[in-house]
Amino acid sequence: MNFLDLTFNMQLTYQPFELELKHTFTIAKFSRSSTPLMLVQLHHDGFTGYGEASMVPYMGESYASATAFLQQVDVSRFTYPFDFEAILDYLDEIAPGQPAIKAAIDIALNDLNGKLKQQPCWQLLGSDPVQMPVTSFTVGIASPDVMVQKLKDAKGFKVVKVKLGSSDDKGLINTIRSVTDVPLYVDANQGWNDCEQALDLVYWLHEQGIKLIEQPFSKTDPDSNAWLTERSPIPIIGDEAVQRLPDVAKAKGIYHGINIKLMKSAGMFEAKRMIDEANKLGLKIMIGCMSETSCATLAAAALAPQCHWADLDGPFLTVNNPYKMPDFLDGRWVLNNGFGLGLSLTESVSK
Ligand code: MG
């Protein structure tokens, strides 16, 4: 179909799903052992587009808020071919915020669009699979013996990402360095407070082979983040400070780069616009994830070849992924030629 079909008829279905984590996950400010997801499907003419919202508690979304939002969505307004911008504007009119449930709809639309067009999403978005960056594997804050156990799970990964912001960040890095010499990313999750202390730590981290640092200071403290960015020999990446498109321009001069996540950007359409905007502004780009299944991981992987760094380890950190694991080779996700996201269902997930 390549005409405006005013009779286009779609149905929306959704189910809550509790995604269990392999290890209790601790970052600078929070700890949890599972994540509520809302699995969303859009059905048309025998085709189904799959999407999901990963609603990590600190982002403020929940089963209740997602259900209330979805009940207000009138999918009869989604004509074909999809006008992704108009649809996102419509979703933003329903309610501000709530980017994860908006992402669920956008991802399902992209999957359905690829299936109707008989093309992979990565191709429709202009990605070259050969440019796929390696994906890092994230290790949360834990006792040294648990950290060592988690690092054993990281075999096959070319980069490990470590959550800092504990009382002994150097000790954590030393523990990791006693087990592996892989390149490391570190994520302070806004946990640092003192500029001079942070700069000392950054120089030390540089000597330990750390390749980038995420969100050192509070997202509401641009001055400290900018001060460190100006002096740091390692790229400083804004994550919590960068949610949607208008935040990209604000990151210029404060961070070297931005961490785009579909659950913050309200999906793939706006993430692609953020990538283009960051490139225009000379900002480096990382694409990251929340606790996600193969579905949202493939959605982000479709854009990852357009980014400098990928942190898409969701399916490796969970135990009840309801979909098949996508192919992963040499530390990278492999984009397949399946139409849409290229998501493979298991028998437990019906078509
Ligand atoms: Mg982060």
Side-chain angles (χ1 to χ4, degrees), residues 27 58 161 163 186-190 214-215 237-240 259 261 264 286 289 311:
I27 59 173
Y58 58 86
K161 180 168 134 178
K163 298 288 192 175
V186 307
D187 190 348
N189 287 113
Q190 315 182 74
E214 271 181 62
Q215 201 64 59
I237 309 300
D239 181 3
E240 285 85 343
N259 187 349
K261 293 175 182 162
K264 298 187 299 179
M286 179 175 198
C289 65
D311 179 30

Side-chain angles (χ1 to χ4, degrees), residues 46-336:
F47 294 96
T48 301
Y50 292 84
E52 77 189 36
S54 171
M55 300 177 290
V56 290
Y58 58 86
M59 295 291 286
E61 291 181 70
S62 64
Y63 289 139
S65 68
T67 304
F69 187 90
L70 290 169
Q71 283 171 349
Q72 293 180 75
V73 175
D74 175 9
V75 292
S76 72
R77 295 179 53 141
F78 300 178
T79 52
Y80 193 82
F82 300 133
D83 182 339
F84 286 96
E85 182 165 16
I87 290 171
L88 186 54
D89 286 347
Y90 164 65
L91 298 178
D92 282 335
E93 277 167 27
I94 292 176
Q98 295 189 249
I101 195 60
K102 292 172 186 172
I105 296 167
D106 171 276
I107 293 168
L109 274 172
N110 273 278
D111 189 29
L112 184 58
N113 187 46
K115 285 167 176 164
L116 294 172
K117 288 202 157 96
Q118 301 199 316
Q119 284 187 63
C121 286
W122 57 260
Q123 201 165 55
L124 289 165
L125 291 162
S127 289
D128 175 2
V130 173
Q131 302 297 321
M132 180 63 79
V134 297
T135 271
S136 53
F137 180 86
T138 299
V139 175
I141 295 169
S143 61
D145 51 330
V146 175
M147 296 271 289
V148 169
Q149 180 56 45
K150 288 179 175 183
L151 285 165
K152 286 182 184 159
D153 292 345
K155 273 198 186 122
F157 288 84
K158 305 286 180 191
V159 183
V160 166
K161 180 168 134 178
V162 191
K163 298 288 192 175
L164 294 188
S166 74
S167 54
D168 183 17
D169 284 344
K170 285 189 181 178
L172 277 173
I173 298 290
N174 284 331
T175 299
I176 290 165
R177 277 287 170 252
S178 69
V179 182
T180 175
D181 57 4
V182 294
L184 299 176
Y185 302 158
V186 307
D187 190 348
N189 287 113
Q190 315 182 74
W192 294 354
N193 301 302
D194 182 280
C195 283
E196 296 290 348
Q197 267 179 25
L199 188 60
D200 283 350
L201 184 58
V202 167
Y203 276 116
W204 183 83
L205 291 169
H206 188 47
E207 287 166 17
Q208 312 306 313
I210 276 64
K211 301 298 180 195
L212 64 82
I213 299 171
E214 271 181 62
Q215 201 64 59
F217 299 98
S218 166
K219 64 179 179 179
T220 61
D221 184 2
D223 292 347
S224 297
N225 285 302
W227 185 91
L228 192 64
T229 294
E230 210 181 310
R231 291 160 179 80
S232 171
I234 309 172
I236 305 289
I237 309 300
D239 181 3
E240 285 85 343
V242 181
Q243 312 263 325
R244 294 194 55 178
L245 181 62
D247 300 320
V248 180
K250 291 180 203 157
K252 174 83 177 164
I254 297 173
Y255 305 98
H256 293 111
I258 59 169
N259 187 349
I260 297 172
K261 293 175 182 162
L262 300 185
M263 296 302 143
K264 298 187 299 179
S265 71
M268 301 164 77
F269 170 76
E270 187 146 319
K272 169 64 177 154
R273 292 184 72 185
M274 292 172 76
I275 288 169
D276 294 343
E277 175 81 351
N279 279 323
K280 210 168 74 186
L281 294 169
L283 288 162
K284 297 273 190 187
I285 307 159
M286 179 175 198
I287 189 156
C289 65
M290 303 295 188
S291 301
E292 293 166 6
T293 76
S294 303
C295 177
T297 301
L298 280 167
L303 286 163
Q306 301 178 41
C307 305
H308 301 93
W309 304 288
D311 179 30
L312 303 175
D313 56 357
F316 293 101
L317 302 173
T318 58
V319 292
N320 59 342
N321 185 351
Y323 307 106
K324 280 191 187 148
M325 193 73 159
D327 289 338
F328 190 79
L329 187 68
D330 209 17
R332 293 166 172 82
W333 292 110
V334 180
L335 295 173
N336 65 52

